[in-house]
Amino acid sequence: MSGIVDQAQDAATKLASTVSESLNLGAKESGPKSDLPNLYIDEKAGSDTTGTGAELAPFATPLAAYQSLKAPATNDANPFAIANFLVRKADSVERNEWVELGKSAQKKLVKGIDIWRKKELKQAQEGEKLAKEKKEMEERDAKRREEARGVVLIDDPSKEAKKVKIHQLPELVGQRVKIQAWVHRFRPQAKHFFLTLRDGTAFAQAIMTGDAIRTIDALDLTVETTVEVKGTVEKVKEGQTAPGGVELVVDWWKILGKAPGGHDAFEGRLREDTDASIRADLRHLELRGETATAVMRFRALLLRAFRERFNAKRITEVTPPCMVQTSVEGGSTLFEFDYYGAKAYLTQSSQLYLETVLPSLGDVYCIQESFRAEKSLTRRHLSEYTHLEAELVFIEFNDLLNHLEDMICEVVDYLLADPIASEIIKTLNPDFVPPARPFMRLDYRDAIKYLNEHGITKEDGSDHVIGDDIAEAAERKMTDQINRPIMLIHFPKALKSFYMKALDSAPDFTESVDVLVPGVGEVVGGSMRIADLEELMAGYKREGIPHEPYYWFTDQRKYGTSEHGGYGLRFIAWFLKRYTVRECSLYPRYMGRATP
């Protein structure tokens, strides 16, 4: 290889000498030689990318023109003995005047050729080196694989291995077990393989040594490969840590499903700096990560906590339809579709249907998907989300507020007492502080006063006035300043839905509530519902909503009306301090995103 470099250096030296002599002869041999091809170079209009060297397709630089000749890197011939280099200066375009390169330009070209040749030769040298290393590596791998084929692990049938899930391991110290799992992490060393295994119930550390790391499967092992392992459960040594305080010492194993390595390896698909849109495309892989796994597991525990608290309060779960022909929150955010030739929508809320079963089931709730066609990409908006909603009968507004405070605090206490949920909270949101009772109750009109007194302005810099729909940023800033849960109550009627009950003392305001928490903002929205038939009909009229399609909802006020109220709740982002609600959804749906 050094011979090639020496040839290149000799060629460069000889070329420089030859050109120098040629340039010194100068006047004796001036003018282009008719027997050589012409290469045209236009400093202004030429292109080194699309040029061919023809007069109508000139190059932009002499070096690109020379490179088009494809002279070998070790060629020491004088470039001006191979072709005529004709250049058109920027100031001679109109005259279409082509002249030979001047002496300084020729020297510059020779120097450029020299640099280019050295670069080409260096790349060739590196390519040869890499090719040699690759060949040597392939030979070593082939030898290792040949040796590995001779290593066969024998599973002693006399040694029983109980098939278990990973979460059971801490209770099985000293026993031989069988586990099927994914390789979550893989750290190979000369004499040991350290694996972190995952089966969906928990994580476990496994150690392999001896023949277990000399098999073909050991050579093929990659992250996210599925494996079956057998071995003895042991407590970790003092001073060491492992999930559950135990580790699995493997004596037999095999690959069940191999995951790819190399360029397509799992570790290379998702990184901390991966673009958000790519992460969304690869959500099915991101869900295997520890954070996403923890959020989804916590989500399940949260739903269980609410169901248990509702059950303890004798509040019955129902499952309303998601395909509807009426709106709840206004027509601008409806997803419309054709339903057997008729117009229908995806539900914005199950509230109206919940109200219809109050006379038969009493207090009810549902955990259903809701859909909002809001063209918004904020961190708190989704086009589809899991909506926990409840309706309570024979209550007054204060009863609703007390119920909300009880439910939130009881669910928080329940989750903090759960070992799995509390560990997730501790990991993802170590600064979480349970909300202290009583929650602050802040009238909307007093909130407007607070915003103005504390310099929290609208987006345009102006002060807030009664009737404003307080923006998320201002609402969040106020909540963070007060730094405690707030029940923001009595919103203007003009800002709320047609079904919300008006305040007796101020008919332009409603018996409504948003529960706000520091760091997140709104987590609950609720209100008392209109119980009076005439007031409801006036609500339809005020909002320009035809009452006929809502006959089934209106009838609740005809056939034994009752005072009742309800709410919808969104919770997880607050608990786990997630920056966006998208992290709290299995496959988030928002504007422009409906895959995978």
Side-chain angles (χ1 to χ4, degrees), residues 334-359:
L334 283 168
F335 281 108
E336 182 180 317
F337 65 96
D338 180 84
Y339 187 71
Y340 303 109
K343 188 182 292 186
Y345 314 101
L346 295 177
T347 187
Q348 300 162 310
S349 166
S350 297
Q351 176 209 318
L352 304 190
Y353 291 98
L354 290 179
E355 290 189 47
T356 66
V357 289
L358 291 175

Side-chain angles (χ1 to χ4, degrees), residues 27-186:
K28 292 183 179 180
E29 298 187 11
S30 62
K33 298 178 181 179
S34 59
D35 58 338
L36 296 179
N38 293 329
L39 290 175
Y40 291 89
I41 302 132
D42 191 318
E43 296 176 344
K44 184 175 182 180
S47 170
D48 288 345
T49 304
T50 59
T52 63
E55 186 173 358
L56 296 179
F59 289 107
T61 63
L63 180 59
Y66 176 77
Q67 289 171 339
S68 72
L69 297 172
K70 303 197 183 304
T74 55
N75 192 327
D76 61 356
N78 183 348
F80 310 112
I82 302 174
N84 295 315
F85 293 82
L86 303 178
V87 63
R88 180 165 62 188
K89 300 292 185 182
D91 59 358
S92 64
V93 173
E94 293 183 3
R95 300 192 303 273
N96 196 33
E97 183 180 351
W98 300 92
V99 298
E100 280 190 288
L101 287 176
K103 288 186 177 181
S104 62
Q106 290 182 21
K107 289 180 178 179
K108 185 177 179 181
L109 172 58
V110 171
K111 184 176 181 180
I113 292 171
D114 183 33
I115 294 171
W116 167 66
R117 283 179 171 169
K118 288 178 179 177
K119 183 178 178 182
E120 290 283 297
L121 285 163
K122 183 179 179 182
Q123 290 177 348
Q125 181 184 16
E126 290 176 351
E128 289 180 17
K129 181 180 178 182
L130 290 173
K132 182 180 179 182
E133 290 175 352
K134 182 180 178 183
K135 183 179 179 182
E136 290 174 351
M137 185 181 296
E138 289 173 348
E139 290 174 351
R140 286 197 302 270
D141 287 346
K143 183 178 179 181
R144 287 177 64 197
R145 295 188 74 83
E146 186 62 33
E147 293 173 350
R149 286 189 181 92
V151 180
V152 179
L153 296 180
I154 304 298
D155 182 20
D156 189 345
S158 66
K159 296 181 179 178
E160 182 182 357
K162 181 181 179 182
K163 185 176 180 180
V164 299
K165 296 288 188 179
I166 289 177
H167 74 92
Q168 298 172 275
L169 293 185
E171 309 301 322
L172 300 171
V173 174
Q175 298 187 40
R176 189 169 186 259
V177 299
K178 177 174 75 173
I179 290 173
Q180 294 176 329
W182 286 266
V183 177
H184 187 69
R185 290 199 189 91
F186 173 40

Side-chain angles (χ1 to χ4, degrees), residues 10-11 18 71 98 155 204 258 261 266 371 379 395 398 416 459 485 525:
D10 290 345
T18 302
W98 300 92
D155 182 20
K258 182 186 173 186
F266 181 85
F371 305 84
R379 57 180 177 158
I395 63 169
N398 275 335
L416 290 175
E459 290 182 358

Side-chain angles (χ1 to χ4, degrees), residues 361-495:
L361 296 176
D363 299 342
V364 291
Y365 77 97
C366 72
I367 300 175
Q368 294 267 103
E369 298 304 291
S370 286
F371 305 84
R372 303 284 174 94
E374 294 179 276
K375 293 184 177 179
S376 175
L377 292 173
T378 73
R379 57 180 177 158
R380 61 182 288 181
H381 282 97
L382 288 173
S383 296
E384 175 188 9
Y385 60 94
T386 302
H387 202 175
L388 190 155
E389 300 178 89
E391 290 294 318
L392 311 175
V393 70
F394 299 126
I395 63 169
E396 296 178 352
F397 188 48
N398 275 335
D399 296 327
L400 176 63
L401 300 183
N402 291 336
H403 166 87
L404 283 172
E405 187 173 308
D406 287 344
M407 280 297 295
I408 291 171
C409 292
E410 288 173 15
V411 167
V412 169
D413 291 343
Y414 179 98
L415 291 168
L416 290 175
D418 182 276
I420 297 175
S422 61
E423 184 62 29
I424 293 173
I425 296 169
K426 182 180 177 181
T427 301
L428 297 184
N429 188 10
D431 297 326
F432 178 79
V433 177
R437 300 197 197 202
F439 291 3
M440 180 180 183
R441 299 187 182 186
L442 180 64
D443 188 282
Y444 164 87
R445 290 159 289 188
D446 293 329
I448 294 293
K449 187 184 299 182
Y450 179 96
L451 293 170
N452 292 334
E453 289 176 352
H454 289 79
I456 304 174
T457 62
K458 293 192 285 188
E459 290 182 358
D460 62 3
S462 61
D463 284 344
H464 289 85
V465 297
I466 300 294
D468 284 342
D469 188 1
I470 303 172
E472 175 193 353
E475 188 178 77
R476 189 190 296 263
K477 194 169 185 179
M478 176 183 69
T479 308
D480 289 347
Q481 283 185 5
I482 295 173
N483 197 30
R484 58 182 289 199
I486 300 170
M487 286 184 163
L488 187 56
I489 59 177
H490 301 156
F491 289 88
K493 185 186 293 185
L495 299 179

